[in-house]
Amino acid sequence: MLKSILALRPSVADWVFSLKTFGASILALYIALMFDLDRPVWAMATVYIVAHPMSGVLGSKAIYRVLGTILGAVAAVAFVPNFVNAPVVLSAVLSIWVGFCLFMSRLDRTPRSYVFMLAGYTAAIVGFPCVSDPGIVFDTAIARFQEISLGILCATLVSHVVFPRHIGPVIAGRVDGWMTDIAKLGEESFDPDADGEAIQNDRARIAADLGELHGLALHLGYEKSRFAGRTRHLQALQSAMAAILPVFYGIYDRLVALKTENGSIPPELTPLLTQVSDSIQAQTHGVEQAAELHEAINTYAATLRGRDDWASLLQLNLCDRLHRLVDYHTDCHALWAGIRAGDVPDMLVNRWREVGRDRSLHRDYGVAFRCGVTASIATAVVCAFWIMSGWPSGATAAMMAAVGSSIMSFLDNPVPALKGFIRYTAMAVGVVLIYSLVILPGIDGFPLLALSFAPYFILLGVLITSPQTYGFGLAMLVNVVMILNVSSSYTSNVELLLGGGIASLFGFGVAAIFTSFIRVVPVDRSIRSLVRANWRDIAAVAKGKLKLGRMMMIRRLLDRQGLILPRLAMAPEHRETLLRVMPEVTIAAVLYDLRQLRIEIEPALSAKIDDVLENTARHFEDRLDDFNRPPDDVILTGVDGVLCDAIALPEGPNREKLLIALVALRRTLAKEGAPAFAVAGNTTLRNGSDAPHAGGLIGGTA
């Protein structure tokens, strides 16, 4: 940590943020002391807990913290008086409440999750100190609400009035950067000689970045930038940009296949590719330009109809991908231009609205459950020790066990962060002793109190502007405030201060121990869990059991890819796993399309498609238990058989749609070789069982 602190080079904006936060905290403390509130330090500490350089983020955290505080306070008022004569039952009830709220919080990957987490440990903070005197629980709950609200009000007022920094311009910069990245990815995807692994990495990185946009956009409703109120529009943009990623994969893959099949890209195709690629690089798409591109693609596709060789089918599929690329890219730029101008057509937003909902985000019920169980057990164990020992500071320890189990739960392995928090809490006790025994005895009046706090709080406030030093800075600030427990008159009780500090350390220590046994998920296990979640969804799509729209399904699969990417830094041996998972988005999309098409075609062919869907679903279900299960050749054999039958169908929209879907599925399943009819040169062949199935399934062994 010392290296991170020494390496920190705070900007002027960081110093301004620290000064603003200190001013807001002193204002909250002054008002709390002036009105003789019970725990003025709660107001001061709240300012630092919700502090954020961006006013919109602070505003949303403030709202959610108030809501969580109300819910937790109501729970404490309901539980404590009714169970105070049964301390074991009360401890169990509060512990279960903390765990349940944390479980709900971990299922929500938006800023709203703060409500549930706060509701959990607020009930512990309000309830446990009132066990010995349950009659004051209502007053304590009211005091907690008043002081939390006061701190939030001061922090929000100062943040929005004094040199406000809005998140809107930050999001604008991110979107512009992502647009540039999309253009770069487009340039790479139109080059069959480009490094395929580098393209896959770029796609995964963009997917991870787009996942961040979903959360950032939610904060726009809490500030007054020119992008305020554009959350829904930005989430529609996020969905449109995410939809482009598998399209780029399809374009690159078909070009590679064409070059492998023919030795080079067909010369007559090159002008069309250049025209579309140049449009992507220019990053401008008007309605007229898009119409011209669609016309050019249709003209070229018309030359392929009636031809049933493999190269022609690949080009027919490529034309479909180009159509989608033009549509999606046009929508992206129209959405972004409308957002910046403050005028986005509702029709355009509604086109992408369903995929902007939270259901497109991955939810890990297993991790959420373990988080909840860890919090419940850690809190209950501390309560049991408190009851049996009669420890005077047991309430503080129980509170800290609940808080410690909750605040780091978003990490795969919270233990190192909790250990750090324990160290920083011990250091904070030392700072508290210096203030209590050396500095505060000579303080007379609030101005001198504020002046004595200024050097320490302003310097530490700068540290919370950096992710590398945030944990240290926040722990050293909040713990000093809470343990010091400043009131309207000076009191120095070293035994009480040390007792509170030791209780805090004990509570966090118990939380760390049970987290290490129950909650910690090794990074390779986390990656495997995300991959298996994709496989479950793919199997559900094949069976027709996944009740999601096509684009929402794609968005969820891409979201999991974005979650896998940052974990690869700690488990590089799984890079091959990520490369294998990426094309599975195409498999899911094609399976979805085949389920729709099977309704509109002849029963005999529909039955064969059902066999492909059933075999695919069985394969991915089997892989849930056997992660490295080899590919099932029966799937590829079935696809070849359906493809041969589809070629023999009369010309029409259903035939073309079916061929496009089957070509995409076959290319995703087997990266080498061609269907049986292409090898045999006989389009009347109806059985692909003799085809040389080279390459194997994407999603085969790691």
Side-chain angles (χ1 to χ4, degrees), residues 38-107:
D38 289 344
R39 294 286 300 275
V41 292
W42 279 353
M44 187 177 185
T46 297
V47 172
Y48 280 99
I49 291 172
V50 302
H52 195 280
M54 301 298 167
S55 58
V57 178
L58 187 149
S60 66
K61 286 179 67 177
I63 295 297
Y64 296 138
R65 187 170 181 84
V66 169
L67 294 175
T69 299
I70 293 173
L71 185 57
V74 169
V77 171
F79 296 151
V80 173
N82 290 307
F83 298 108
V84 71
N85 292 323
V88 174
V89 177
L90 176 59
S91 298
V93 168
L94 283 174
S95 299
I96 292 171
W97 172 260
V98 171
F100 171 75
C101 289
L102 186 58
F103 169 78
M104 296 300 296
S105 173
R106 292 292 286 119
L107 289 181

Side-chain angles (χ1 to χ4, degrees), residues 386-533:
W386 174 24
I387 292 170
M388 290 186 295
S389 66
W391 187 17
S393 299
T396 300
M399 289 160 44
M400 291 302 103
V403 173
S405 302
S406 302
I407 58 175
M408 302 295 178
S409 62
F410 63 92
L411 299 172
D412 281 341
N413 183 5
V415 174
L418 286 172
K419 288 181 178 178
F421 210 87
I422 292 171
R423 290 196 302 271
Y424 307 149
T425 300
M427 295 168 63
V429 172
V431 175
V432 167
L433 290 175
I434 293 173
Y435 265 104
S436 181
L437 300 179
V438 179
I439 299 176
L440 294 186
I443 297 298
D444 183 16
F446 189 82
L448 284 178
L449 177 66
L451 189 62
S452 69
F453 281 155
Y456 178 82
F457 281 81
I458 293 174
L459 181 61
L460 270 293
V462 172
L463 298 183
I464 66 177
T465 62
S466 169
Q468 288 73 31
T469 56
Y470 174 82
F472 174 79
L474 186 64
M476 293 297 291
L477 288 165
V478 174
N479 280 315
V480 166
V481 171
M482 296 302 296
I483 299 174
L484 193 57
N485 196 20
V486 174
S487 61
S488 56
S489 61
Y490 170 74
T491 57
S492 178
N493 188 331
V494 175
E495 182 180 354
L496 184 62
L497 291 177
L498 288 177
I502 292 171
S504 295
L505 293 173
F506 181 78
F508 274 107
V510 172
I513 290 171
F514 282 97
T515 297
S516 65
F517 282 108
I518 302 173
R519 164 66 182 87
V520 172
V521 179
V523 66
D524 62 330
R525 182 177 169 186
S526 179
I527 291 173
R528 285 171 176 258
S529 175
L530 290 166
V531 172
R532 287 190 174 98

